[in-house]
Amino acid sequence: MIEFESVTKTYPGQTTAVSDFSLVVPSHRTVVLVGSSGSGKSTLLRTVNRMVEPTSGRVLIDDEDVRERDPVALRRSIGYVLQHGGLLPHRSVLDNIATVPVLNGVPKREARTAASELLERVGLDPKVGRRFPGQLSGGQQQRVGVARALAADPNILLMDEPFGAVDPIMRRELQEELLRLQADMHKTIVFVTHDVDEAFLLGDEVVVLREGGVIAQRGTPAEILGA
Ligand code: ADP
Ligand code: ADP
């Protein structure tokens, strides 16, 4: 479970990106933060893995303040998927996926075998593992990004516009794939998007943000659409 308690973030230069934001993300659920560009979605997401420190308020994971955790260890324990995969260009796909497990002490061969299985789980041919990120389509790269985020078997997945740069048909495939994966995996997911349809498709709960990270509306898709 992730809890945001009165989180406020003001960046130097006085931009208040998030103002007094509180939310509980229950374990094994997908909560989607949806809002237009600049509404504070990424800022909020990054407070969970301490890439952003709140100006005030706090973030708890399973009742523990994230500030109690070593930031590097914390980041390795949380899956993070970005719009532009952030894959290492000079490493094979398999090594990209295996990097964090190896850093965590998993023997290299074991990590590669697991990486190959993960490729299949995200709908890629394991042969893709030998290629380099630049040789893949945008959709394939994002699948690799998801596989990499899952490699350390995190309880939490943070997804920041993961399918935002992919064409609409591929995006729909990736969305369906994530729904299938989540039906098995039951991760605790915070998913950020500016695409309202995507939010309603993927979220067990949807939080609509206004500028300044203020909650405009929240609830299950049914509650919001019925409202
Ligand atoms: P979103 O993800 O919804 O687009 P962000 O969290 O990226 O929103 O940004 C919210 C606001 O904070 C914007 O006004 C943005 O310009 C500002 N902001 C984001 N990151 C930084 C930063 N590192 N330094 C200063 N301002 C920032
Ligand atoms: P209207 O569009 O006339 O406001 P609706 O009942 O269609 O009435 O929608 C109510 C709210 O839910 C609107 O804010 C709309 O943007 C949103 N909404 C409706 N359908 C969807 C959908 N499939 N995905 C996302 N948001 C939706």
Side-chain angles (χ1 to χ4, degrees), residues 50-61:
R50 297 193 61 187
M51 291 173 75
V52 168
E53 299 287 348
T55 311
S56 63
R58 55 185 197 153
V59 178
L60 308 174
I61 294 177

Side-chain angles (χ1 to χ4, degrees), residues 11-12 15-18 35-44 160 192:
Y11 287 105
T15 311
T16 295
V18 174
S36 48
S37 174
S39 58
K41 306 182 295 296
S42 298
T43 297
L44 275 166
D160 195 344
V192 160

Side-chain angles (χ1 to χ4, degrees), residues 196-197 200 224-225 227:
V196 177
D197 288 318
F200 282 81
I224 294 183
L225 294 173

Side-chain angles (χ1 to χ4, degrees), residues 164-224:
V166 175
D167 71 75
I169 291 171
M170 181 59 67
R171 187 182 312 158
R172 181 45 61 114
E173 270 180 38
L174 289 166
Q175 290 164 345
E176 300 289 347
E177 190 77 37
L178 181 64
L179 285 172
R180 275 197 294 278
L181 273 175
Q182 177 64 346
D184 281 354
M185 297 185 309
H186 309 292
K187 301 288 182 192
T188 305
I189 300 180
V190 187
F191 190 106
V192 160
T193 183
H194 62 259
D195 177 340
V196 177
D197 288 318
E198 182 166 77
F200 282 81
L201 178 70
L202 298 179
D204 296 307
E205 197 177 332
V206 175
V207 177
V208 184
L209 293 179
R210 282 195 275 129
E211 199 178 324
V214 175
I215 295 177
Q217 218 178 349
R218 67 204 277 176
T220 62
E223 284 164 356
I224 294 183

Side-chain angles (χ1 to χ4, degrees), residues 25-190:
V25 180
S27 295
H28 315 302
R29 292 279 184 276
T30 304
V31 172
V32 179
L33 307 179
V34 62
S36 48
S37 174
S39 58
K41 306 182 295 296
S42 298
T43 297
L44 275 166
L45 199 69
R46 292 150 69 97
T47 62
V48 178
N49 62 7
R50 297 193 61 187
M51 291 173 75
V52 168
E53 299 287 348
T55 311
S56 63
R58 55 185 197 153
V59 178
L60 308 174
I61 294 177
D62 296 335
D63 298 319
E64 189 189 24
D65 191 323
V66 294
R67 286 173 297 194
E68 304 289 326
R69 304 277 302 273
D70 170 61
V72 175
L74 180 72
R75 274 168 221 151
R76 282 188 198 161
S77 73
I78 294 176
Y80 187 38
V81 188
L82 293 153
Q83 179 164 345
H84 295 287
L87 300 173
L88 303 168
H90 303 299
R91 290 208 191 170
S92 70
V93 164
L94 220 51
D95 285 342
N96 263 283
I97 298 169
T99 298
V100 168
V102 167
L103 288 171
N104 285 341
V106 177
K108 205 164 182 174
R109 269 187 62 171
E110 208 176 296
R112 285 186 160 189
T113 307
S116 193
E117 285 164 14
L118 273 170
L119 281 177
E120 289 193 81
R121 286 206 77 175
V122 299
L124 289 173
D125 188 321
K127 279 186 230 152
V128 169
R130 290 198 294 269
R131 295 204 210 147
F132 287 84
Q135 296 171 301
L136 306 183
S137 71
Q140 287 176 318
Q141 288 187 25
Q142 290 313 100
R143 286 176 196 266
V144 174
V146 174
R148 187 184 52 166
L150 293 173
D153 197 23
N155 295 320
I156 296 175
L157 268 187
L158 305 177
M159 308 188 82
D160 195 344
E161 300 267 5
F163 312 141
V166 175
D167 71 75
I169 291 171
M170 181 59 67
R171 187 182 312 158
R172 181 45 61 114
E173 270 180 38
L174 289 166
Q175 290 164 345
E176 300 289 347
E177 190 77 37
L178 181 64
L179 285 172
R180 275 197 294 278
L181 273 175
Q182 177 64 346
D184 281 354
M185 297 185 309
H186 309 292
K187 301 288 182 192
T188 305
I189 300 180
V190 187

